[in-house]
Amino acid sequence: MLLDHIFICVDENAPEADELVFLGLAEGTPNRHRGQGTANRRFFLPGVMLELLWVADLNELQSATTRTLGLADRFAARKDGGSPFGFVFKPKNPRIGNSCPFPFRSYHPAYLPETLDMKVADATPRIEPLYVFIDFLPASCSTAQHHPCGIERLTSVHVTFPVQGAPSPVARMIDSLPGMSARVGREHLLELCFDDGKRGVRHDLRNRLPLIIRW
């Protein structure tokens, strides 16, 4: 599977996104997830979309359908030890096969046709990121934007979480993917590296976001 996008649970209207704009990242179009109770500000980065996600409608977020996704608990727990991250994957080669590689529960959001669903990893601790597989997404991405800071290619993704004991089987699977690591650490932290970090630029955004960006 391939990484399609990453989300970070943030405060209402995602004021944290202004930090990314200041660094020279071009902001894309926002989105409102009808029936799911969330909205976002988005950055279409080389190789991945970064989504800053917030609660737009608590009733929708807590509905019976959306509870399958587990976002209500994640938002409630993000300031009390829960992981604020989500990783959404897609098939590496849809022509060969698009079956989900981990045990899952199906989530049918209102904004998708009834015949389509998202596969949400089952039996993973809340302190780890949310893992989702979407089998109908294309392998290629044509929505990448030009960024004033000059980044061209995502070369590594590293996420840590302070879970007690061993990481879940899904986390170990993700840790084996090229360019990705998902491991136990001291805090919830996401590190994105572009262009192998050749320019030696490092931005630590932990004053607003659990995020470090390098290029």
Side-chain angles (χ1 to χ4, degrees):
M1 58 185 181
L2 295 174
L3 181 63
D4 183 77
H5 65 274
I6 302 168
F7 71 76
I8 306 176
C9 298
V10 297
D11 294 332
E12 185 176 2
N13 297 319
E16 300 92 336
D18 295 338
E19 297 274 347
L20 301 178
V21 175
F22 178 78
L23 296 180
L25 302 181
E27 185 172 358
T29 56
N31 192 24
R32 169 73 161 86
H33 301 109
R34 179 177 56 86
Q36 183 174 287
T38 56
N40 62 30
R41 293 174 68 178
R42 300 185 291 182
F43 295 83
F44 296 97
L45 306 174
V48 68
M49 188 261 284
L50 180 63
E51 177 183 19
L52 302 189
L53 191 72
W54 72 86
V55 179
D57 187 313
L58 188 59
N59 289 329
E60 289 184 354
L61 188 72
Q62 294 176 336
S63 70
T65 298
T66 309
R67 277 203 300 271
T68 304
L69 186 58
L71 272 180
D73 288 344
R74 194 161 294 271
F75 272 104
R78 72 185 181 96
K79 295 184 178 180
D80 189 30
S83 174
F85 304 124
F87 289 87
V88 180
F89 296 91
K90 60 189 176 183
K92 185 175 182 179
N93 190 338
R95 291 178 298 177
I96 294 176
N98 56 5
S99 59
C100 185
F102 48 73
F104 65 89
R105 57 187 184 273
S106 291
Y107 169 53
H108 296 267
Y111 55 84
L112 287 180
E114 291 183 4
T115 55
L116 299 179
D117 71 340
M118 300 179 181
K119 278 74 174 173
V120 182
D122 213 355
T124 54
R126 186 175 57 180
I127 204 163
E128 286 189 21
L130 182 69
Y131 310 114
V132 181
F133 185 79
I134 302 181
D135 54 17
F136 53 85
L137 292 177
S140 60
C141 178
S142 59
T143 54
Q145 298 175 273
H146 169 73
H147 296 276
C149 63
I151 56 176
E152 297 181 354
R153 185 170 60 96
L154 178 68
T155 48
S156 67
V157 177
H158 178 62
V159 64
T160 59
F161 38 81
V163 67
Q164 297 295 322
S168 70
V170 181
R172 294 196 295 272
M173 179 186 302
I174 291 168
D175 190 58
S176 69
L177 295 176
M180 291 197 69
S181 65
R183 302 175 183 175
V184 176
R186 292 182 298 176
E187 61 183 324
H188 292 292
L189 182 63
L190 175 67
E191 298 181 59
L192 302 178
C193 181
F194 296 89
D195 307 319
D196 295 311
K198 291 180 178 178
R199 282 190 279 170
V201 176
R202 182 179 184 273
H203 295 289
D204 189 334
L205 303 177
R206 280 178 285 184
N207 61 324
R208 300 291 301 278
L209 282 169
L211 175 65
I212 293 173
I213 300 180
R214 297 189 293 117
W215 61 73

